[in-house]
Amino acid sequence: MARAEWGSRLGFILAAAGSAVGLGAIWKFPYVAAQNGGGAFLLIFLVIVFTLGISLMIAEMSVGASTKKSPVGAYRKLGGKWWSSVGYIGVLCGFLILSFYSVVGGWTIAYIVKSIQGSILTTDPAVLSRTFDSFIADPVMPIWYHAAFMALTAGVILAGVQKGIERVSKHLMVMLFLLILILIARGLTLHGALDGVVTFLYPDFSKVTPTMIIEAMGLAFFSMSLGMGCMITYGSYASGETSIPNSARSVIGLTTLICFLSGLMVFPAIFVFNFNPLAGPGLTFITMPAVFSQMSGGQFFSILFFFLLFVAALTSSVSLMEVVVSFFIDEFQFPRMMTTVIMSILMFILGIGASLSLGVWKNYTLFGKNLFGLLDYVSSNLIMPFGGIMIAILVGWKAWPVISARLAYPDGTCPVWLPLFKFICRFVAPVLIFVILLQNL
């Protein structure tokens, strides 16, 4: 069976960028930047992204493009039988993340509905906090929204690579960008909005510490969907003529731009209304509705904001499910429809447990964490760093002859940056990601 391919380089870039731009890019990047010196953190983040981050992006895409296989087959082909276990771990990571990520994706749908109803348009964050807490603790409603989000994700996957993932990503990424620009434009018209922009961008170098640099490395590596096989899978659908380095640069640039624009979207509004920019994840579902309630046309912009979050969540969830589905298609020749339906049901069932662990099952813990927190911790803090280390070692050492040949120019000459890329993959990336892994532990 011929392997599916992207219909265009733009489709590949937008699909990969959609994978990287998840909910974290909208709420996590702005508040982490605020906690760590604003512009100073931004500068360090950019340096890391365009050195280490882009190296890992090229590494993952190259592995997929060179083998035309999903993570398990790619690792086996380039590294040997033992290396396939790394691919299995990556597939497991995608499965675990999507099981609880779909629950959060369901929350974005619920808040679109609540925005349309006007039930969250209040200026009191305490009321919004109680609304949010009671909603996620409800044993029924979040699961229905979780089911809806999982079904939408499965629907995109069922349509295939070109007609599903590529087509949807093209439209949704353009929509995401336009929604952010509209919300930025509205926020900047507010009196005092410039204070929020200054706080976001002003470099406070007194906050530059080793811990802050590690925080920037962690955010750079793992906000780009690296270490769990998404970019290997997407790279495997690239045609032989596709320039992996140019595509990786475009994906990194687009993802970083959206992170930056998210800060410009969030900070002016929350400063005008004197809310805490360090509110973290609660900024999304608790603080922002209070901000919108004080704006002219606030209900409209609240709907836009949560629809934007939904779009960001969907483009990421599609890439996670494709990692799992492509594994079964490649390894066992299972039909796409059967695989997608079965995996969606299994992830939905695990997600039910994750949702209930925030409410009626919250007293049931393992290693001091509820199921939701445990799934998040194991996948994001343990498996993804491990995957990042292993892809760097595979490319820098075991598979270097194959990868360097894929990255060479058509006439066989090597790009001037190739030795630096090799050095980063062999030595720099494994050591720095191991430092992050130790910090997570």
Side-chain angles (χ1 to χ4, degrees), residues 88-146:
Y88 284 111
I89 293 172
V91 173
L92 175 64
C93 185
F95 183 92
L96 295 179
I97 291 178
L98 186 51
S99 65
F100 72 86
Y101 193 81
S102 176
V103 174
V104 182
W107 298 349
T108 65
I109 300 176
Y111 268 67
I112 293 172
V113 174
K114 290 177 184 294
S115 296
I116 293 172
Q117 295 171 339
S119 60
I120 56 171
L121 291 179
T122 172
T123 59
D124 188 349
V127 173
L128 287 167
S129 181
R130 287 194 297 271
T131 300
F132 178 67
D133 290 342
S134 63
F135 168 71
I136 65 172
D138 188 298
V140 178
M141 289 308 297
I143 293 175
W144 281 111
Y145 286 113
H146 162 46

Side-chain angles (χ1 to χ4, degrees), residues 363-417:
N363 293 325
Y364 297 99
T365 60
L366 187 63
F367 304 112
K369 299 180 183 297
N370 60 27
L371 181 59
F372 189 102
L374 185 65
L375 290 171
D376 185 13
Y377 180 82
V378 169
S379 56
S380 302
N381 292 35
L382 301 181
I383 298 180
M384 288 179 67
F386 173 77
I389 291 171
M390 298 310 290
I391 191 70
I393 293 174
L394 176 72
V395 168
W397 295 93
K398 184 75 173 175
W400 180 249
V402 175
I403 298 301
S404 58
R406 179 63 176 81
L407 295 176
Y409 292 127
D411 61 4
T413 58
C414 292
V416 294
W417 51 265

Side-chain angles (χ1 to χ4, degrees), residues 55-67:
S55 296
L56 288 177
M57 181 74 74
I58 292 173
E60 285 210 19
M61 286 183 173
S62 298
V63 166
S66 300
T67 60

Side-chain angles (χ1 to χ4, degrees), residues 10 54 56 67 98 148 165 171 176 242 249 259 284 294 308 313 327 334 344 362 375 385 387 392 409 431 437:
L10 177 62
I54 198 168
L56 288 177
T67 60
L98 186 51
I165 302 170
H171 289 96
L176 179 75
T242 300
R249 281 192 287 268
C259 286
T284 305
Q294 299 181 58
L308 180 153
F327 159 70
F334 286 178
S344 298
K362 65 181 178 182
L375 290 171
Y409 292 127
V431 171
L437 181 59

